[in-house]
Amino acid sequence: MKQETSVVSASLNGVRNSPRKMRLIANLIRNKEIHRALDLLTYSSKRRVSFILKKLLLSLLSNWKKKYNEFYSEKKEFLYIKEIRVNQGKTLKRLRPVPQGRGHRIRKRSSNIIVILDKKKEI
């Protein structure tokens, strides 16, 4: 028996926000339905991170429509975020001058985000 998989993914690499800040919002939308997650991101207080994740979710929804044409497009309420991972990307290392001619290292972190969308089983 062949089992159909209805999984679509989208990723975004090199986002100039630290993974810790991104995970705060990613944890809010994990395992939520897609329209509920978009609403949470619209009214979130973390504006910059929410804007990035919202654009990624809209891209994910577009990928879903492209893969399955319009067969599942009406049933958005059954689409949910199966998995969202925020990993650390490249770190830019900079020096900040401090007293007595020294320099302290500043680490500017970036994130890699992977989101997987799936279809809920209808009851």
Side-chain angles (χ1 to χ4, degrees):
M1 282 177 68
K2 186 179 177 185
Q3 193 176 29
E4 284 189 36
T5 58
S6 56
V7 176
V8 176
S9 67
S11 64
L12 187 59
N13 295 330
V15 178
R16 280 298 319 274
N17 265 355
S18 70
R20 184 176 179 183
K21 291 176 186 175
M22 295 294 274
R23 284 187 196 112
L24 285 173
I25 302 300
N27 289 338
L28 286 177
I29 63 172
R30 185 172 282 125
N31 297 323
K32 297 273 194 288
E33 292 178 2
I34 188 78
H35 70 278
R36 174 85 174 120
L38 287 170
D39 287 343
L40 284 171
L41 292 175
T42 301
Y43 299 108
S44 174
S45 61
K46 303 269 187 189
R47 300 229 179 236
R48 185 172 179 191
V49 174
S50 298
F51 179 73
I52 292 166
L53 285 175
K54 187 175 178 182
K55 281 184 74 171
L56 187 60
L57 288 184
L58 291 174
S59 170
L60 187 62
L61 200 55
S62 175
N63 291 349
W64 179 272
K65 286 181 183 176
K66 186 176 179 182
K67 185 173 181 180
Y68 296 108
N69 292 330
E70 295 192 32
F71 184 69
Y72 291 120
S73 64
E74 268 66 32
K75 299 184 179 182
K76 290 178 190 172
E77 64 270 4
F78 294 113
L79 301 178
Y80 77 105
I81 298 168
K82 181 179 182 181
E83 185 179 348
I84 182 165
R85 286 183 306 213
V86 180
N87 300 325
Q88 185 167 344
K90 287 186 176 181
T91 302
L92 301 175
K93 293 163 180 102
R94 301 289 183 254
L95 287 176
R96 169 154 297 164
V98 292
Q100 297 182 359
R102 297 185 181 128
H104 286 175
R105 182 167 282 184
I106 302 295
R107 293 184 302 259
K108 297 187 175 188
R109 301 175 192 268
S110 65
S111 305
N112 298 333
I113 309 164
I114 300 166
V115 184
I116 298 174
L117 188 69
D118 198 3
K119 182 179 168 236
K120 273 191 181 173
K121 307 294 184 248
E122 296 181 41
I123 299 172

